[in-house]
Amino acid sequence: MDDSTVAKLEGANLEDLGIPTGRLAMWWFLASEISIFGGLVCIFVLLRWRHPEWASEAVHTINAAGALNTVVLLTSSLSAVLAHQAAEDGRYRKAARLLGATFGGGVIFLCVKAYEYSHEIHAGFVPARSMFWSFYYLMTGLHALHVIGGMVAMFVIMLSVRKGLNPQRVEYVGIYWHFVDIVWIFLFPLLYLAS
Amino acid sequence: MFDSWLPEAASSYAEKIDGLLVFITVIVGAWFLASEALLVYLALRYRRVEGRPAAYIPANTLRVMAVVLVPCVVILVFDLVIDAVAAPVWHEIKETQPPHDALIRVSGEQWAWRFFYPGPDGVLDSADDFEVVNEMHVPVGAVVLFELVAKDVLHSLWIPALRLKQDAVPGRSIRGWFKATREGRYEIICAEICGFGHTLMKSGLVVENQTAYRAWLDSQQGTQLAEAGHPGQR
Amino acid sequence: MAHSAHHPPVGFLGRYVFSTDHKVIAKQYLFTGIFMALVGGFLAYVIRMQLTFPGESIPGYGHVSFVHYNAVVTLHGTIMIFWVAMPVLLAALANFLIPLMIGAEDMAFPRLNMLSYWIFLLSTVVLLSSFFVPGGAAAGGWTSYPPLSGSAAFSGGQWGVSLWILAVALEFAAFLMGGINFITTAFNMRAPGMKLFDMPIMVWLQVVAAIVFMLSVGPLIAGAVMLLLDRLVGTGFFDPAAGGDPLLFQHLFWFFGHPEVYVVLLPGFGVIGEILPVFSRKPIFGYRMIIYATFVTGVMSFIVWAHHQFIAGIDPRLATPFSITTILISVPIAIMVFSYMATLWRGSIEFKTPMLFALGALAVFLLGGVTGIHNGTPAADIFLHDTYFVVAHFHYALIPPVFFAFFAAMYYWFPKMFGRMLNERLGVAHFVFTFFFMNLTFLPMFLLGFMGHQRRIADPRVFDTLRNAQVENLHWLATIGAIGLLLGQIPFLVNLVMSLIRGERAEANPWRANTLEWTVPSPPGHGNFERQPVVYRGPYEYSSPESSEDFLPQNAAP
């Protein structure tokens, strides 16, 4: 068999799917994540709709903190995009610095969240208080775990991309971070604003 | 036929469910036997024989695939027929509520059934209600409306002779009905796992004629009111 | 590719324990799954003995109290579905076969793959440890419906259910990692020339199963977290007293639980689809039709779940729509079964052990399939729900993929896995015992179900309607069947051990098959393919006019 046959046959594969394996894996991972958060959001919306009285509990969430966190997450997503661009251009130290900024955004987000939790718990709004608070802690807690997981991954990638290793992973962790961001954009109006 | 295996039928809709079971069993049984026979026939008929090579049939045209697709279309038709026959039975049993002659609240708890009767005023949650544990009495030929509740965990009200099964869910009150058509004593069982006493959670159903039922009601009312200590109440 | 740095491992630990080689991980899953099958089988023995001799001491177990009985039933179901069917059919077979069948040197993410196994092993340890904690193992049925499972006050033990939830959650995490690997490997690592529709049916069905799993499991993961919070933190998601709803958990469970049936069924059907053409020397009948039918099954499996809840207290008007989707799913499944049968037509069939098990799987599955119509019809389900009819139905539907197809796969791929052939005579004996005793065990249960015998009761003699000679005889038959079925596995285990030690050495392609795994030595070395194979055709070109022989490997140059 000559080389042109092999080249032609390899071409047949690329026409099926030209997505890098890592990105494909991330998309499938997020598909399963969507079914977790999607399921929760659907349940919450249905129940919330049936129970208008939850509004009296929802007013006690700290809207300003939620809004601040929304801004923080959106900004950190921006630096993740810039990090991806820098990695594409081969500017790995800059990519690492920008990932560091995103990481910092995660830290701020978690600090604000911790402040909220402690404030709310001191005021007696504990998970077992009512269904609204159960859902509030479940959904924001699950989201915060995703933030922490993303930060761990980002830290590892930051260290390796500085040395120019696996720069494509900057994009993958960025996709993940956008997802975490989008989940928050659903949670913020549902849990904070709708009261 | 296999319907002799079914428990005694003692409600107005028992025979409809039994008929449906026979109907489905005959249809799918015929398909099952035919498919099984075909499988055995194909396996034996085309076993390896020296000098008879296999045919090359990749079946990539619709014409050849029709061998499989046509029977599947027929299955589709049978499927729809079965559901068309079954839907009205379900509709009658679970989706409609004929006018009732008696009202009983059935409550499941770990591990007993309690039955609340509305008393002479016919209204539940009033002072003349009375309660019996582990034995339900109903008049024969009367439509009984039941209100099914559960106190702690899931239970399932299962009266095989009436072909009646309905889960009891804490926090919900589920309504249903039955009309017992034959006098006798039957079993009430819990069909949903409900903890380690699940096996022992059974009660009796007494289907009796109007006179006996009246007498039983009177006797219950007397005792119940006396026990409750409200002799003067209506 | 990530594998350029993939050196052959050194040392015993690197080679057999902390290995990233997909073949080793497959065997780790395989042996863990077989071990758990023995545990699950022992629990089945306890159930059968208790029902036949209620209250008496069972040899090897002792006296079964009602508390124990519920735990035994719960763990039997949990283990057989999550710790046998999933690791063996999905993890072991997909891990071993996907890279070999598509001409790849390993999975796309070998280290993720290793992590998947070790998390799975951890989940196994957590589950098994729950037998020994105060209060005993989970006893709320494999579905763990709250409120029963939501509070220690209702079900006894504080630890059992919590460990059960933890184990199941870990197991799901393991299979999510596995699933990502299966999908990306099949999509992105195929040998040059292999188009998507040149992949063997086994690969396709594993991929569809992995996708269905990944898209359906999310809500149950959420549900499991909620249940755990209810137990540990005092939230009331499923507690009506706190405003929660027990039915919510049922929806979350079955939104996953019913697709899960197809997650298990499809790999089993994949095995049958590989074996039938080889031993009929004929192309599979309607390759694309089968794959399209799989897609339809996968999509439809998401809209049938409420048929588990016809009488659970849901709005009765939902029953008929869900019944229609349920009954309609029989159509794509029938397409698959009939295509398999049509593969036999005008073939040249050789009855080797793998073929016997594949045909046996079809024969048994037919009964499991048609009885699904009974259960899927709401009005009939009023009577049959939670009776032994359901038990018989799902054993007839799941034993063919989980055991028959698995055994077929073992007899067929064992040479490739271990480099030695399994003994044919012991194999046939194993098949005869398994087929006969399986039917002896579960046929009586259909009749018990028609008699109104409900599930999950520890002693039928409590009930007037079940206290008779007929019920007793049927239980006897089923118990004899179950013990025979368990003893019938001895030839298989003996065969495994004997053949591993001194079985006939296997050549590269003992069955004269077309797929790529048979083009490498048995067993394949690290990295699988010495030279990158190139694929020229589909996997089932048997008795093709293009070849003088009756098979034409995918990589044979035209």
Side-chain angles (χ1 to χ4, degrees), chain B residues 125-196:
Chain B
D125 299 315
S126 59
D128 61 348
D129 289 7
F130 68 89
E131 172 196 337
V132 276
V133 180
N134 283 342
E135 194 172 72
M136 171 157 71
H137 285 245
V138 297
V140 68
V143 172
V144 177
L145 169 69
F146 64 83
E147 222 185 86
L148 186 58
V149 296
K151 196 171 148 197
D152 34 39
V153 301
L154 298 177
H155 299 277
S156 188
L157 180 69
W158 169 217
I159 310 177
L162 301 187
R163 306 293 185 271
L164 165 66
K165 197 182 283 140
Q166 177 63 55
D167 285 7
V169 183
R172 287 178 192 226
S173 168
I174 298 164
R175 292 183 153 219
W177 68 276
F178 62 87
K179 186 164 99 181
T181 51
R182 199 181 290 182
E183 287 177 45
R185 232 195 114 77
Y186 306 102
E187 269 181 321
I188 300 176
I189 296 169
C190 175
E192 181 69 59
I193 190 167
C194 60
F196 48 82

Side-chain angles (χ1 to χ4, degrees), chain C residues 191-348:
Chain C
M194 184 180 271
K195 299 192 235 16
L196 279 175
F197 281 103
D198 287 333
M199 293 201 299
I201 294 238
M202 182 67 185
V203 178
W204 262 119
L205 267 57
Q206 290 279 9
V207 167
V208 175
I211 294 176
V212 169
F213 176 79
M214 289 179 66
L215 297 184
S216 64
V217 77
L220 182 56
I221 290 178
V225 173
M226 289 153 86
L227 190 56
L228 202 61
L229 291 176
D230 273 11
R231 290 181 65 84
L232 302 180
V233 185
T235 55
F237 291 112
F238 307 123
D239 176 9
D245 186 355
L247 288 189
L248 175 59
F249 183 85
Q250 298 186 15
H251 286 294
L252 297 175
F253 186 92
W254 288 114
F255 183 81
F256 161 77
H258 202 80
E260 168 72 8
V261 173
Y262 298 98
V263 171
V264 170
L265 191 71
L266 292 177
F269 269 42
V271 172
I272 302 170
E274 290 306 313
I275 287 171
L276 290 181
V278 175
F279 294 90
S280 311
R281 314 309 295 167
K282 228 187 122 226
I284 195 146
F285 191 92
Y287 169 83
R288 284 199 184 217
M289 178 169 60
I290 293 173
I291 290 165
Y292 291 141
T294 313
F295 294 163
V296 175
T297 308
V299 172
M300 287 187 70
S301 72
F302 283 89
I303 48 167
V304 298
W305 81 88
H307 66 219
H308 294 270
Q309 302 166 266
F310 286 149
I311 56 156
I314 59 170
D315 190 325
R317 286 167 298 184
L318 288 175
T320 298
F322 272 103
S323 164
I324 290 171
T325 58
T326 300
I327 290 192
L328 287 186
I329 209 169
S330 68
V331 172
I333 295 286
I335 290 179
M336 282 195 246
V337 171
F338 287 157
S339 296
Y340 285 171
M341 282 166 61
T343 305
L344 303 174
W345 172 50
R346 297 183 61 194
S348 174

